[in-house]
Amino acid sequence: MSDIDLVVKQSRNIESLLKTHYHAEGKGLHQLITSCEERLPHDVIGKLRFIATMRNKVVHEEGYKLEDKAGFKATCKDMTDILTPRANRFLWKLVGAIVLLSTLASLAIYLIHWDNIKHLF
């Protein structure tokens, strides 16, 4: 994959996340970041600016080579992970507890009434 393909695909994904989940507006990645800066975690703004700058350099500067592809990919993955909304851990624990309790309750009911229902099998 060429530098341009890599950078454009990664930045397009981040642009989509900013527009969808942070209501960003603008044409380029820098404008999108600026428009939703107050809704973003403060520690990611610099990394997002780095991605936007690399994107602009790769696309607009003739012969520019991305020096650290692995670092760029890692930064993009980190930003994608941070910007992608997730359900609260409490919610997942609650769902797990409900499933576990309902399974245990069903098992208890079967064990208590096994003599009455075993002829069905």
Side-chain angles (χ1 to χ4, degrees):
M1 179 180 288
S2 72
D3 288 350
I4 294 175
D5 289 338
L6 170 69
V7 171
V8 169
K9 286 179 182 178
Q10 296 293 329
S11 62
R12 187 182 304 157
N13 184 26
I14 291 171
E15 287 175 9
S16 174
L17 288 170
L18 289 173
K19 288 177 183 177
T20 304
H21 301 294
Y22 293 90
H23 309 291
E25 296 177 351
K27 290 185 179 181
L29 191 51
H30 280 295
Q31 287 181 1
L32 293 171
I33 296 165
T34 302
S35 72
C36 66
E37 200 166 7
E38 68 278 352
R39 292 182 293 276
L40 291 170
H42 294 291
D43 56 332
V44 304
I45 295 171
K47 293 178 182 178
L48 289 173
R49 296 272 183 211
F50 165 75
I51 294 169
T53 301
M54 290 299 106
R55 183 236 177 250
N56 288 344
K57 285 183 177 186
V58 167
V59 171
H60 296 295
E61 291 181 15
E62 185 68 31
Y64 184 82
K65 296 287 184 191
L66 192 60
E67 293 175 12
D68 184 16
K69 283 186 182 184
F72 182 80
K73 284 182 184 179
T75 303
C76 289
K77 184 180 179 331
D78 289 344
M79 293 302 98
T80 302
D81 291 345
I82 290 171
L83 296 175
T84 302
R86 287 173 184 62
N88 192 336
R89 287 181 190 220
F90 172 75
L91 181 63
W92 282 110
K93 288 178 183 178
L94 179 65
V95 168
I98 290 171
V99 169
L100 180 64
L101 288 174
S102 63
T103 303
L104 291 174
S106 299
L107 184 60
I109 290 171
Y110 278 114
L111 289 175
I112 292 169
H113 298 289
W114 182 249
D115 290 335
N116 297 334
I117 61 172
K118 68 180 175 183
H119 69 278
L120 297 174
F121 298 105

